[in-house]
Structure formats: structure tokens, C-alpha cells
Amino acid sequence: MDITILDRQPCHRSPGTEGMPGYLTVDLAALARNYEKLATAAAPARTAAVVKADAYGLGAEQVAMKLYAHGCRHFFVAQFGEALRLRPCLPLDADIFVLNGLQPGNERACAQAGIVPVVNSLEQLQHWSRAGQSLNSRLRTVVQFDTGMSRLGVPPNERLALAEALQDAGFIELLFIMSHLACADDVESAQNNAQLAEMSRIAAEFPGFDICVANSGGIFLGDAYHCALVRPGIALYGGAPTAGIQNPMEAVVRLDVAVVQTRSVPAGASVGYSGGHVTTAETRLATIAAGYADGLPRSLSGKGAVYCDGNRLPIVGCVSMDSITVDISALPEGQLRLGTLVEILGPNQTLEDVARDAGTISYEILTGLGSRYGRRYV
Ligand SMILES: *Cc1c(COP(=O)(O)O)cnc(C)c1O
């Protein structure tokens, strides 16, 4: 391989794992600054970190270790398997909570690993309590209540029975109670206040316990939503916590993907599957090594763009499984070549930009970014 040619390439050179089709760069310092910013906004409430789905695709282990170093002691995942994988990466004074609670049969393993399930129903509480009894130890838990999202959590008609069960449950130690907001990214939504009001009624029924309701958006709804603990996810990773206003968070990821091939085609050339695009003039094209299998939604077909040195290179035709084709006529001839990296996420294009072009939300873009890229933590 001719290294000197690689060295002369424009845009960004590959940062170490030479020869990968793309590089996902995670800025752990920016992550830590986002954590500090959220923790400051939420204080005196404590600030947890939601690191489910491999920390929204960025690497749960690296993210959790970094945030632990910045004082975070509460980590939320969605599934028990995620908690088991994360547990050895964190010191024992960090708690790991499983938002979905446990599937029957995992209780003993969960208790033995010191992982805390979020109990979402009377049934889950009974399983957990029985595990405590058989291990003869008091098992820590969190209870989530449904305050109007109808997704997870103890429904209103189970509250009384749950309160009674908790009274009798000598093998349960309730750490705090929580709920989840359905519309926290919309400051105008009346549902926020309705859910908070429902949570205060619940707090009166379960007095003396700390409360946790705010996700990223909830932190920006005001002090009333902070309670004892907040649990942001997307905002840590640079996603906008609130729709329709300037994103106060710092970008944490950039994604640079390599050029596989370039070509010049005449007017009337058909580009990509289904002849989805037909050129109207002579056009220079580059094929880029990322497709829907790498997390670029097929809905970006004919929409959106990649960037090179600040130049917008529109996606033309259909997104393929392993590649996209972009119009590079805006660039001087020869600037893009085999191996050159172009920007998909970075200073020219935010997560929100790509999500908007794809007709989705930043969460889906972030969690979809595939495993075929090289990963670099800076
Ligand atoms: C995913 C999740 C969060 C984090 O939400 P963000 O909007 O990413 O901040 C918090 N709480 C629960 C219950 C969740 O499922």
C-alpha cells in the first residue's frame, strides 16, 4: 500500500485502524461536558446516565466508565443482558438498573450480580420478592409507575395491591419510585404536567421515597421535574433534548466513511437500484461505503447528503445495503478517490440533520449506526 497517497488525501484520514470502510469517532470529553451540563441544570438532583442499547450505539463500557469518572453512580439499561455485560466494567458503588425489569427465571442471577431491576408490575414484584426469600436477602428494587404513557410501569389499578405487597415484602428494599414522560421533548405538551401531577398523587400513596421522572427532555421542563434523580440518554450523546429549539448539547459522534469508487456518467444515466435516479447532465459520482446495513435508512434515498471539506454532496438514487452514491460534481476533479473519507456526521451535518432528512429521530440514527465501522474514542 502506498502510504504517501493516503497521506495526501483530503477530508479526514483514517485514525489508526487503517483500511476500514468508515470510522465512528466518539468524543468522550464532549460526552463528559454534556454530563456536567445536565448535572448542573438538574442539581441538587443527582444525574444518572441511560446507557441502554450499548449507550445508544456508542459503546456502553467506554461511556459508563467515562461518566463514572465524572461522578455518575446510577446507570440505566433496558435489558438484564445489558446489565450483566456492563456490571464488571463499573466499580461496585455504581448501581445498574434494568428498565424493562426481569424476565421470569433471571431473578437469582440478577440478585447475585447485584443488579437492580425496575419492577413494572405486581407480578414482577412477586417474582423478585420470592427470589429474595429463597436467597434469604433483602433485594433492592425500583418501582416504575405508568402515569399516562401506557407502555411500562405499574398501572393505576394495581397500585393498591402493590402498596400492600410492599408492606408485606420483607425481602424487598425499595430505593426510589419512577415514571417516564411521553412528551418531554415538547415543552408545550399538557401531558407533561398531567404526568407530573399523577406522579405526585403516587408519591402521596408511597410516601418517603425518592422520585425520578426526567429523561433528557424532562431536565429542560423545569425544576419541578428534577425530583431526586434525572436520567438522560440522548442529550448525553449530543442529541437535542427539546424539539424546535437550538440544541444546547455538544456533538459527541462523528462518522466518516470511505469512498469505494468514483465515476463520471453522461446525461441520461441511471443510478442505483430500480433506476431510482436518472442524470440530467454529465455528472461525477462517488460510491460511499455505508448503506442501510450500516444504519443509513433507506428513506435517505434521493435525500440528504454527505460532506467533503464543507461541500455538500447530495445522495442520488437508492440507498443500497452496503453503499450510497453521491453527486460529487461540486468538487474539483480528482479530489475524491478510493479510500478518501467523507463526513456523514460531523461539523457540517448534525445527528438532527440526518434524522430530519431520513424522516426519523436522532435516537434511531444513533442506535442504528452499524458495527462495520472502525471505532475510535478520543
Ligand atoms: C430511554 C429512556 C430514557 C432516556 O431517554 P432520553 O430521551 O434518551 O433522555 C429515560 N427513561 C426511560 C424509562 C427510558 O426508556
Side-chain angles (χ1 to χ4, degrees):
M1 183 173 29
D2 189 344
I3 298 296
T4 56
I5 289 179
L6 277 176
D7 276 347
R8 268 192 271 113
Q9 304 216 339
C11 296
H12 297 273
R13 285 189 304 116
S14 58
T17 19
E18 223 47 47
M20 292 297 287
Y23 299 89
L24 189 69
T25 309
V26 179
D27 184 344
L28 291 174
L31 170 80
R33 286 191 293 274
N34 283 341
Y35 179 78
E36 306 280 0
K37 181 168 211 162
L38 295 168
T40 304
R46 287 161 303 161
T47 299
V50 178
V51 295
K52 62 191 180 188
D54 202 24
Y56 293 38
L58 307 192
E61 180 178 341
Q62 289 83 353
V63 164
M65 281 167 42
K66 183 70 178 179
L67 295 180
Y68 181 91
H70 285 260
C72 185
R73 294 294 179 267
H74 302 78
F75 297 87
F76 287 87
V77 294
Q79 301 176 351
F80 176 54
E82 297 179 311
L84 271 185
R85 282 191 293 281
L86 186 59
R87 189 60 278 185
C89 311
L90 286 169
L92 288 176
D93 66 337
D95 278 324
I96 302 175
F97 304 96
V98 181
L99 288 167
N100 284 358
L102 299 177
Q103 293 295 312
N106 286 332
E107 290 83 4
R108 275 185 92 89
C110 184
Q112 278 156 356
I115 291 162
V116 182
V118 173
V119 157
N120 289 301
S121 65
L122 189 55
E123 188 184 4
Q124 280 186 333
L125 182 79
Q126 286 159 345
H127 286 300
W128 191 231
S129 179
R130 241 172 271 138
Q133 197 163 10
S134 80
L135 292 165
N136 196 28
S137 61
R138 254 186 120 210
L139 301 183
R140 298 178 311 148
T141 189
V142 172
V143 174
Q144 172 162 229
F145 292 94
D146 178 15
T147 53
M149 189 173 177
S150 312
R151 183 183 72 166
L152 276 173
V154 175
N157 64 2
E158 275 188 11
R159 286 212 303 254
L160 197 59
L162 186 101
E164 284 166 9
L166 275 175
Q167 295 269 311
D168 301 340
F171 293 99
I172 296 284
E173 179 189 356
L174 181 54
L175 298 180
F176 57 89
I177 59 177
M178 62 174 273
S179 189
H180 192 50
L181 300 168
C183 308
D185 64 331
D186 176 5
V187 292
E188 305 282 316
S189 172
Q191 191 167 342
N192 295 322
N193 200 33
Q195 287 195 258
L196 190 63
E198 177 71 350
M199 197 58 188
S200 12
R201 282 189 286 276
I202 294 167
E205 294 168 30
F206 295 82
F209 294 108
D210 279 347
I211 298 172
C212 175
V213 293
N215 66 337
S216 298
I219 295 172
F220 294 91
L221 291 175
D223 293 353
Y225 291 82
H226 298 163
C227 307
L229 180 70
V230 298
R231 32 169 229 281
I234 195 75
L236 290 170
Y237 312 119
T242 309
I245 65 157
Q246 174 90 24
N247 183 0
M249 311 315 297
E250 204 177 318
V252 172
V253 286
R254 65 171 294 149
L255 177 61
D256 301 284
V257 176
V259 171
V260 182
Q261 196 177 8
T262 60
R263 76 186 70 247
S264 187
V265 297
S270 156
V271 182
Y273 278 118
S274 322
H277 177 81
V278 178
T279 55
T280 54
E282 187 180 339
T283 307
R284 278 183 296 116
L285 299 171
T287 302
I288 310 296
Y292 59 77
D294 302 292
L296 295 187
R298 215 166 155 274
S299 55
L300 284 174
S301 299
K303 292 197 198 104
V306 304
Y307 284 79
C308 180
D309 290 343
N311 296 291
R312 185 175 192 275
L313 310 175
I315 296 173
V316 290
C318 285
V319 174
S320 294
M321 185 185 293
D322 315 295
S323 64
I324 50 174
T325 303
V326 299
D327 185 336
I328 59 169
S329 305
L331 294 176
E333 208 154 339
Q335 182 169 351
L336 286 193
R337 50 199 300 169
L338 179 62
T340 308
L341 295 174
V342 297
E343 172 192 329
I344 293 184
L345 292 172
N348 293 287
Q349 181 157 263
T350 66
L351 207 46
E352 317 298 332
D353 293 333
V354 176
R356 186 200 54 236
D357 289 339
T360 183
I361 54 174
S362 58
Y363 300 67
E364 193 177 20
I365 298 296
L366 207 50
T367 55
L369 295 180
S371 49
R372 292 198 285 185
Y373 308 123
R375 277 215 196 155
R376 193 172 71 129
Y377 294 89
V378 295

